[in-house]
Amino acid sequence: MSPYRLRGKTVLSFSGGRTSAYMLRQVLDHNEDLSDLLVLFANTGKEHPATLEFVRECAERWAVPITWLEYRDDEKGFAVVDVDTCSRDGEPFEAIIRKRKYLPNPVTRFCTIDLKIRIIHKYLRSLGLSTEEEPVDMLTGIRADEPRRVVKIRNRGSTSESKHATMIMPLADAGAGVQEVTDFWAAQPFDLMLSTVNGRTLEGNCDLCFLKPLNQVYSIIASDRSRGDWWAMQERVTQSTGQFAGDGARFRKDRPSYQQMMDYAEIQFDLFTEIGEAMGCFCGD
Ligand code: SF4
């Protein structure tokens, strides 16, 4: 059976990237009955406007409903929004930082968990779905050429979330890698309007995500210093109000702060030559 065939109630977690959209297209092409499919996009508020437009365009061109969700610090825990009402200045992300009183970092990536995974599960539970008795299938866009992420997901033990969902990686199961995704988009009449390097979208997911290689983050700031404003402000505010001044007030303690990167960009000092591999997370591509 094709790895893209639905086996029952299925949630496709759409990151707003090319890989995720490729997976969606394959699912649409391999199933006549799509009544069991829910496509969910969790917006952190720090996605590039081009990503938001791409999500909208995929839904419209492919005639598939995509539900947009955002974290809220209230009893319900989430809001359903759309391209017109969604946050575009990091509001959900900032709300979870204020609640936690420290910043996410490569070890404690609570942004992924609280802004994406948990609100998806809360939304599903609000629909009476994703129970322990009847877990849903959760499609995630991890490719065959991301073996470490594949192994990590496969080895993941039971968590409160995974008891209610079975993680499925149809791209990995189908052997689809970055080449298949690139070839697919080269033949499409529309695309995500963000540039790529080696198949990775530079400004995909949260624009200056701390998991991106330093040279990538710096080059975005160097091209437009104001892009660092929000990130620098979170470090500044958390430093002054957080429980964990110091390490908890930096997204990365092993790097210059976002403000320092902005200051370096100001004097056009190209100090950042670290070539690193981006760390993967649930946020996907
Ligand atoms: S893209 Fe980065 S900053 Fe955004 S939610 Fe994912 S891990 Fe956090």
Side-chain angles (χ1 to χ4, degrees), residues 44 46-47 93 104 109-113 115-116 204-212 231 251 281-284:
T44 67
K46 281 308 292 168
E47 277 86 4
F93 204 149
R109 302 179 204 175
F110 66 75
C111 44
T112 307
I113 295 166
L115 299 174
K116 298 193 172 198
N205 293 316
C206 297
D207 55 359
L208 296 184
C209 170
F210 51 86
L211 298 178
K212 293 181 180 179
W231 300 86
F251 289 101
C281 70
F282 181 84
C283 304

Side-chain angles (χ1 to χ4, degrees), residues 13-176:
S13 166
F14 187 27
S15 73
R18 291 185 179 92
T19 297
S20 198
Y22 170 84
M23 174 173 70
L24 173 57
R25 186 64 255 174
Q26 299 311 307
V27 170
L28 298 179
D29 289 345
H30 285 83
N31 293 277
E32 302 79 44
D33 179 4
L34 293 164
S35 56
D36 273 335
L37 178 68
L38 271 98
V39 186
L40 305 179
F41 168 63
N43 177 40
T44 67
K46 281 308 292 168
E47 277 86 4
H48 194 286
T51 296
L52 304 178
E53 177 56 22
F54 183 60
V55 176
R56 186 201 64 76
E57 204 168 7
C58 286
E60 198 173 293
R61 285 183 179 256
W62 295 345
V64 57
I66 298 178
T67 302
W68 296 42
L69 299 171
E70 285 183 2
Y71 168 80
R72 291 290 184 273
D73 183 12
D74 60 19
E75 202 177 331
K76 197 161 129 195
F78 68 87
V80 177
V81 297
D82 58 34
V83 69
D84 297 318
T85 60
C86 69
S87 302
R88 290 171 179 261
D89 198 21
E91 296 90 338
F93 204 149
E94 189 166 347
I96 193 64
I97 290 172
R98 297 293 156 259
K99 184 169 180 169
R100 291 259 196 168
K101 299 190 172 63
Y102 68 103
L103 297 175
N105 57 63
V107 178
T108 311
R109 302 179 204 175
F110 66 75
C111 44
T112 307
I113 295 166
D114 290 350
L115 299 174
K116 298 193 172 198
I117 300 174
R118 287 214 169 112
I119 66 153
I120 286 176
H121 283 276
K122 280 183 180 167
Y123 174 69
L124 293 175
R125 283 199 281 277
S126 78
L127 301 178
L129 298 172
S130 188
T131 60
E132 218 166 314
E133 296 73 40
E134 278 186 83
V136 294
D137 280 349
M138 181 83 70
L139 304 187
T140 185
I142 294 175
R143 298 186 307 260
D145 53 8
E146 300 178 289
R148 276 186 291 181
R149 299 178 74 189
V150 172
V151 168
K152 199 169 169 185
I153 297 268
R154 294 218 163 108
N155 289 345
R156 191 177 280 175
S158 182
T159 67
S160 60
E161 270 80 28
S162 64
K163 269 190 262 170
H164 303 96
T166 304
M167 296 290 274
I168 311 257
M169 295 174 284
L171 300 175
D173 294 340

